Amino acid sequence: MPFCSDDLRVDFVVPSRDEANPTLLHQIQTMSCAGQIINTHEKPLSVARKHGVLAAKTEWVAMVDDDMLLPSDWLQKVTGAIEPNVGAIGTVAVHKNQHAAAYERVVGTIYNLSKLDTNPHINNIIIRRTLMENYSPPKLFFGEDQYFKRYVQKTGYRWKVLPFLGATHLGTSKNYVTIGISYRRYGHFGLYKLMRRMAARIIFTPFAALSNLSFRTLAYLTKLNVEFFAGWTKELVTEKL
């Protein structure tokens, strides 16, 4: 490993439910300038991230979800994008789930995924440690990425997302009804963003299925779209009662 000054070294926070992903830990350990790995099992995830980052000793701290895999040069490329006005840097991650990957592949041919304002890619980022000192994390699992992005921007720093560098999101099963509820409850999606999301899903989902030549892709993505809309609408109705 090349020599790294204290200014270059980056500690890693890896929250996990049980045992940490050994493949991810090995990948981090082989990265130049990677510091200590802070593996936490604290709940909820938002609180685990804050406490983990504050336990770090470096100016910049990497927060990487346990269901991620990273290329060996990930840290080198991400730290190379540090600028004085930037508070957090993430990278576009490709889903291992073939159906989700197909959708993002199709969307990516039309629009640069790193410019998409609805996905901050909090699952693989580096952030300034000091930003966590005054952060009050919400007690939620889904949607913290949007919440945290807005917090960083309110401090005056920019949230930066880099194009795909090789990060892979292994992913776990999620209840999209719950995600829809969370996105409405915490103001992640107003009516405009919801309509924009639904329009994109209606347009691109069939093309994703065609790219996979799979009816299962169509059924899978359609199910998620319906669940998300149902959850968002349910929360909206609850607010009006």
Side-chain angles (χ1 to χ4, degrees), residues 158-197:
R158 185 160 64 94
W159 186 286
K160 188 174 184 178
V161 178
L162 303 179
F164 177 65
L165 302 179
T168 301
H169 186 203
L170 302 178
T172 54
S173 298
K174 297 178 181 178
N175 185 321
Y176 270 72
V177 173
T178 304
I179 294 177
I181 291 172
S182 179
Y183 270 50
R184 173 62 197 179
R185 180 175 299 171
Y186 293 95
H188 304 324
F189 272 28
L191 184 59
Y192 168 72
K193 280 189 176 181
L194 176 69
M195 293 298 100
R196 191 180 69 178
R197 175 192 172 104

Side-chain angles (χ1 to χ4, degrees), residues 94-132:
V94 170
H95 282 82
K96 189 173 183 180
N97 179 296
Q98 62 175 335
H99 310 304
Y103 180 82
E104 292 186 343
R105 186 168 60 247
V106 169
V107 174
T109 62
I110 307 297
Y111 192 82
N112 188 335
L113 294 178
S114 65
K115 303 297 183 183
L116 195 62
D117 60 358
T118 55
N119 194 346
H121 298 280
I122 197 175
N123 52 24
N124 74 123
I125 67 170
I126 63 170
I127 65 168
R128 295 180 184 271
R129 182 187 177 280
T130 55
L131 286 177
M132 280 297 191

Side-chain angles (χ1 to χ4, degrees), residues 54-153:
L54 292 180
K57 305 299 182 184
T58 54
E59 178 185 1
W60 285 85
V61 183
M63 292 197 310
V64 182
D65 285 1
D66 189 56
D67 59 354
M68 294 293 299
L69 296 178
L70 302 175
S72 59
D73 59 352
W74 180 86
L75 184 57
Q76 177 185 355
K77 289 183 176 179
V78 176
T79 53
I82 290 175
E83 297 176 88
N85 67 333
V86 171
I89 306 172
T91 82
V92 172
V94 170
H95 282 82
K96 189 173 183 180
N97 179 296
Q98 62 175 335
H99 310 304
Y103 180 82
E104 292 186 343
R105 186 168 60 247
V106 169
V107 174
T109 62
I110 307 297
Y111 192 82
N112 188 335
L113 294 178
S114 65
K115 303 297 183 183
L116 195 62
D117 60 358
T118 55
N119 194 346
H121 298 280
I122 197 175
N123 52 24
N124 74 123
I125 67 170
I126 63 170
I127 65 168
R128 295 180 184 271
R129 182 187 177 280
T130 55
L131 286 177
M132 280 297 191
E133 293 175 354
N134 297 315
Y135 177 53
S136 298
K139 301 298 191 296
L140 60 93
F141 178 77
F142 299 121
E144 190 210 350
D145 47 0
Q146 300 285 339
Y147 188 98
F148 187 62
K149 177 185 176 181
R150 288 200 302 270
Y151 163 77
V152 170
Q153 291 173 329

Side-chain angles (χ1 to χ4, degrees), residues 16-33:
S16 58
R17 295 179 181 178
D18 299 301
E19 295 300 319
N21 181 345
T23 302
L24 174 61
L25 295 185
H26 176 72
Q27 290 174 331
I28 295 172
Q29 290 165 352
T30 60
M31 290 182 188
S32 300
C33 300

